[in-house]
Amino acid sequence: MVNPKEIRDYAAGLLEQGRVKSVIGYRRGTAGCFAEPCTLTEPGEAGSLVWDPTCLNNLALYLVKDRKQQAASRTPDRRPIGIVAKGCDSRAVAVLLQENYFKREEVVVIGVSCEGTGVVDPRKLKNSLKGRSALKVEFGGGESIRITTRAGESELPAREVLADRCLECREATPKLHDVLFGESLAERGYDAPFRAVKAAEATSGEARWATWQHHFDRCLRCFACRSVCPLCYCPECVVDSTSFVITPQTSAEEKANRIRWCERSANTAESALYHLTRAIHLAGRCVDCGECERVCPVNIPLRLLNTKLEMEAFEQFDYQAGRDYDRPALISSFRDEDPNSFIR
Amino acid sequence: MSDPSQEPQKFEPRIVAFLCKWCSSAGSDLAGVSRLQYSPNATPITIPCSGSVSPLYILSAFNKGADGVLVSGCHPGDCHYMEGNYLARRKLYLVKELLQFVGLEPDRFRMSWVSAAEGAKFAQVVDGFVKDIRTLGPQNRLRR
Ligand code: SF4
Ligand code: SF4
């Protein structure tokens, strides 16, 4: 099992030697027992780093945020950044590298393995504790999670509380890393990849539409799912007219004439357009970190849309985002044997 | 979008057809000059290459009330830009799968390879598509 002290020492070392300007990691949060993302700039702060099943966030997002900040800064600091990365975080870093968002030498990936488990789903945790609140959530070794409440310590089978994406995770150990803490386990006894998508596909088209219509109708268009995604980094977003760049030179006419593919009104049709566009824009890029689904205030099962395309990419084109980062991107490559029979 | 054809009258499918200018668009032209009779329900939009079709075009067409969307390009190996149609094939396969996954009827989106010499095939593709859409009825799922 990963000893957090090793991560702390390594992070402190990086900062001490001046190899990085900062380290992005997790520390104890203020909201219950959950960890929160943090940026360390001094070796002395490294003691606050933690690594446990409450480290939900995909930290690659903060690499993107830093990039944007440096781009806007008058005195950009381009020194490398260290980042604590689980399997999914490291896949996101890999896709960002593949897309030349930054260079390999600009990031030091401190890989941590989820080994036999992963991170918890706060909703599942709440249900399984039946109203009590957890004080501490730790890896229990093997496929179990140790939970401390006021009533004492207990071990739960990880399957009960793990996030859905962790149950279907194919790579719980970061492949892309500069240093790796924890063991890499090839076999984990949870769900087969794409289980949820396959279950959804087994239902009829009518039933699927009924479900999605219901979900699209509920979407608030708060764009939380877009904001949290490490791969939704475009400064201008095609589905959101308020993000269109306006400079002092932009004329009223230009503003009026910009194509608005998607209106901002939160109705079923526009939200459908938003979600389908989002899914397509993430095809071959989404690393299934499940962050979009986690942050959605109305619990829309967003992962399904992304994993559907992930499954097609894998099954039809033998492509996995984050694994094949040395290959051309999914959408900008082809093979002669790609499916053709659907074309008349 | 206001729709004047709300009164109960015969359903006429509205199809948006994205046609590559190097092949299918010329194919539709050939169908015309050869005086072939085929359904007038497809609105052609000429595009530089099937590879230039953004998924947004398709989603947007459905959003704005298309009953069916057709993308037609050059046969594999014949792309004017060497590989545009291969890229289109992969990209639009994903769009097709996604649309079906959320429950749009599979017959509403179609792709075809039609060369500049295949006027008759073009007429046949459009006729077949219109016939299928007629059985499905109007597309109300994704339209605003
Ligand atoms: S987070 Fe949920 S409610 Fe907000 S825009 Fe995304 S899907 Fe809609
Ligand atoms: S779409 Fe969702 S699951 Fe995929 S990378 Fe973005 S936040 Fe993660």
Side-chain angles (χ1 to χ4, degrees):
Chain A
M1 222 183 304
V2 184
N3 176 1
K5 177 149 189 314
E6 292 176 79
I7 307 176
R8 291 173 195 145
D9 290 346
Y10 187 82
L14 284 181
L15 288 165
E16 243 153 25
Q17 295 153 22
R19 280 177 61 199
V20 297
K21 66 174 174 185
S22 56
V23 172
I24 303 169
Y26 304 94
R27 69 174 173 213
R28 209 46 326 113
T30 46
C33 61
F34 284 87
E36 66 182 15
C38 65
T39 303
L40 311 177
T41 48
E42 300 294 334
E45 298 168 336
S48 61
L49 285 180
V50 297
W51 169 238
D52 62 28
T54 67
C55 297
L56 309 176
N57 310 61
N58 186 336
L59 296 181
L61 174 68
Y62 298 96
L63 289 177
V64 172
K65 287 200 191 290
D66 178 78
R67 246 294 120 99
K68 290 189 173 169
Q69 237 167 38
Q70 301 311 328
S73 156
R74 256 181 236 179
T75 50
D77 183 347
R78 298 263 181 200
R79 282 178 297 157
I81 299 186
I83 178 173
V84 176
K86 324 184 265 298
C88 41
D89 306 22
S90 129
R91 292 200 293 274
V93 175
V95 175
L96 290 167
L97 288 175
Q98 181 184 27
E99 297 177 350
N100 287 324
Y101 200 74
F102 40 72
K103 297 195 193 72
R104 182 68 187 89
E105 59 273 19
E106 289 176 318
V107 46
V108 178
V109 181
I110 309 171
V112 286
S113 170
C114 295
E115 296 182 1
T117 50
V119 298
V120 297
D121 179 333
R123 294 158 192 156
K124 290 188 193 171
L125 183 66
K126 210 165 148 194
N127 283 345
S128 82
L129 290 181
K130 305 199 177 60
R132 281 170 296 150
S133 51
L135 302 172
K136 219 198 270 171
V137 180
E138 297 159 300
F139 296 114
E143 293 184 356
S144 72
I145 302 269
R146 191 179 319 120
I147 298 176
T148 315
T149 61
R150 220 158 272 151
E153 231 179 64
S154 59
E155 292 222 346
L156 281 182
R159 167 177 280 286
E160 275 181 34
V161 285
L162 278 195
D164 286 348
R165 65 170 199 268
C166 299
L167 294 175
E168 293 182 13
C169 183
R170 260 170 290 118
E171 203 146 43
T173 308
K175 188 174 148 208
L176 173 82
H177 62 252
D178 292 282
V179 54
L180 179 64
F181 296 105
E183 266 179 84
S184 108
L185 291 189
E187 286 288 315
R188 289 155 43 97
Y190 304 111
D191 293 339
F194 313 124
R195 191 202 58 84
V197 177
K198 290 197 164 134
E201 282 204 318
T203 61
S204 72
E206 295 297 315
R208 288 200 302 273
W209 174 248
T211 313
W212 284 109
Q213 186 180 27
H214 168 69
H215 291 316
F216 293 151
D217 189 38
R218 284 163 51 241
C219 173
L220 312 167
R221 296 293 280 293
C222 62
F223 292 128
C225 46
R226 185 192 60 182
S227 308
V228 80
C229 179
L231 299 165
C232 271
Y233 53 61
C234 305
E236 281 190 71
C237 180
V238 69
V239 298
D240 176 7
S241 51
T242 58
S243 72
F244 294 171
V245 169
I246 292 170
T247 65
Q249 283 80 38
T250 313
S251 67
E253 203 185 335
E254 273 172 296
K255 282 187 219 167
N257 289 340
R258 289 207 58 165
I259 299 181
R260 273 196 246 141
W261 292 100
C262 182
E263 296 294 337
R264 282 175 56 86
S265 31
N267 59 42
T268 314
E270 300 303 326
S271 297
L273 185 58
Y274 164 56
H275 285 293
L276 297 178
T277 307
R278 201 182 86 85
I280 282 285
H281 284 188
L282 284 156
R285 308 175 61 235
C286 169
V287 295
D288 196 14
C289 64
E291 283 288 271
C292 43
E293 185 167 306
R294 178 178 70 85
V295 298
C296 178
V298 293
N299 297 349
I300 296 180
L302 289 165
R303 254 193 79 231
L304 279 182
L305 293 179
N306 297 315
T307 39
K308 162 69 184 160
L309 294 181
E310 207 188 330
M311 178 177 85
E312 293 303 331
F314 181 60
E315 293 184 347
Q316 304 294 339
F317 310 120
D318 186 28
Y319 184 95
Q320 273 180 36
R323 176 195 72 178
D324 300 318
Y325 57 91
D326 43 1
R327 287 199 350 210
L330 175 74
I331 304 277
S332 57
S333 54
F334 62 88
R335 300 185 303 180
D336 288 343
E337 64 271 26
D338 280 355
N340 191 58
S341 58
F342 71 101
I343 303 172
R344 315 239 157 177
Chain B
M1 206 162 67
S2 78
D3 185 0
S5 60
Q6 278 306 312
E7 302 88 56
Q9 48 175 240
K10 207 165 141 267
F11 163 63
E12 274 306 325
R14 276 181 298 188
I15 289 172
V16 178
F18 294 100
L19 310 178
C20 162
K21 79 168 191 181
W22 299 101
C23 52
S24 302
S25 188
S28 77
D29 225 17
L30 181 63
V33 295
S34 323
R35 313 250 162 207
L36 295 179
Q37 288 292 328
Y38 66 101
S39 317
N41 303 52
T43 308
I45 297 181
T46 305
I47 44 164
C49 172
S50 55
S52 74
V53 173
S54 159
L56 253 184
Y57 297 179
I58 296 159
L59 299 175
S60 183
F62 282 125
N63 177 262
K64 299 190 172 49
D67 299 309
V69 176
L70 171 73
V71 176
S72 191
C74 311
H75 288 270
D78 289 351
C79 177
H80 185 76
Y81 308 101
M82 314 310 285
E83 50 188 43
N85 51 359
Y86 291 109
L87 296 171
R89 181 170 69 179
R90 187 172 266 208
K91 190 161 54 182
L92 299 183
Y93 172 82
L94 293 172
V95 174
K96 168 186 88 84
E97 285 295 323
L98 185 65
L99 286 171
Q100 283 180 29
F101 185 70
V102 295
L104 189 76
E105 299 93 337
D107 268 337
R108 297 223 184 254
F109 173 63
R110 193 160 286 183
M111 226 180 137
S112 63
W113 301 138
V114 172
S115 79
E118 293 176 321
K121 179 172 178 192
F122 183 78
Q124 184 204 331
V125 164
V126 172
D127 273 341
F129 199 13
V130 171
K131 189 167 141 275
D132 292 346
I133 301 278
R134 246 184 239 289
T135 15
L136 281 178
Q139 187 273 120
N140 293 322
R141 299 198 166 165
L142 297 180
R143 77 181 295 173
R144 54 165 69 137

